[in-house]
Amino acid sequence: DIQMTQSPSSLSASVGDRVTITCRASQSITDYLNWYQQKPGKAPKLLIYGASSLQSGVPSRFSGSGSGTDFTLTISSLQPEDSATYYCQQSVTSWTFGRGTKVEVK
Amino acid sequence: EVQLVESGGGLVQPGGSLRLSCAASGFTFSSYWMSWVRQAPGRGLEWVANIKQDGSAKYYADSVKGRFTISRDNVKNSLYLQMNILRGEDTAVYYCASLDYGSCSGGDCYYFDYWGQGTLVSVSS
């Protein structure tokens, strides 16, 4: 199975900060990489698909990049409503998720 | 408005069975791959199973293969998950999700698009 490793596992940042979350795949997944946001007690929400395509309706402060094994999710200017856990997920085979990154907004 | 509403969760003893349902509305259900994804309490997300539009192809995570069966009824716009030989580690919130796809370098790349609110399955004696 393809393993997905996210880092950091948690972070705390201030409103307006630039935040970067990384995701590494155990083998190349080209750009078959998606990012989700999950708030407590809620279902996940798709943010980015295909490594860098912004899902309709998602604020433009979210962006994704990378290919092969290394990927990043960037929040360009952190907002209070961005407090959540973020997951990467590969869709090559046996669709595995990373363990998540919990983002706290100070 | 797209809606996915899961039902059928509850408390079951180890070794028991449970059938989850997901009622879909607001989109052409029969045109989409569908999935089940679960989340153990305080843990991350785990993909469980996918099913093709007409039910002709099904894929399972190794952790549930041989015990769980995904199915669908395109007349009733419903997705199902039959869970047998349940174990404590199957305790989780189970979400149904629709799959959509975009264009990636190697062709179509799929993602979980719409999600239900989830139904809790607890396996305990």
Side-chain angles (χ1 to χ4, degrees), chain B residues 29-34 51-58 72-74:
Chain B
F29 179 75
S30 58
S31 297
Y32 289 84
W33 281 78
M34 295 294 296
I51 185 168
K52 194 176 178 180
Q53 291 92 332
D54 61 359
S56 62
K58 304 175 184 181
R72 64 192 297 161
D73 184 329
N74 287 342

Side-chain angles (χ1 to χ4, degrees), chain A residues 1 30-32 34 36 38 41-46 49-51 53 55 87 89 91 94-99, chain B residues 35 37 39 43-47 50 62 95 99 102-113 115-117:
Chain A
D1 284 2
T30 60
D31 53 355
Y32 286 60
N34 308 314
Y36 301 86
Q38 187 180 33
K42 300 293 187 182
K45 171 188 172 184
L46 176 71
Y49 66 90
S53 295
Q55 172 68 342
Y87 295 93
Q89 175 249 326
S91 59
S94 294
W95 298 24
T96 44
F97 290 85
R99 291 194 170 191
Chain B
S35 296
V37 177
Q39 186 169 36
R43 305 292 294 274
L45 299 164
E46 180 186 16
W47 166 73
N50 288 348
D62 287 344
Y95 296 99
L99 290 170
S103 179
C104 286
S105 61
D108 294 337
C109 48
Y110 284 78
Y111 50 85
F112 302 109
D113 192 6
W115 299 66
Q117 85 290 348

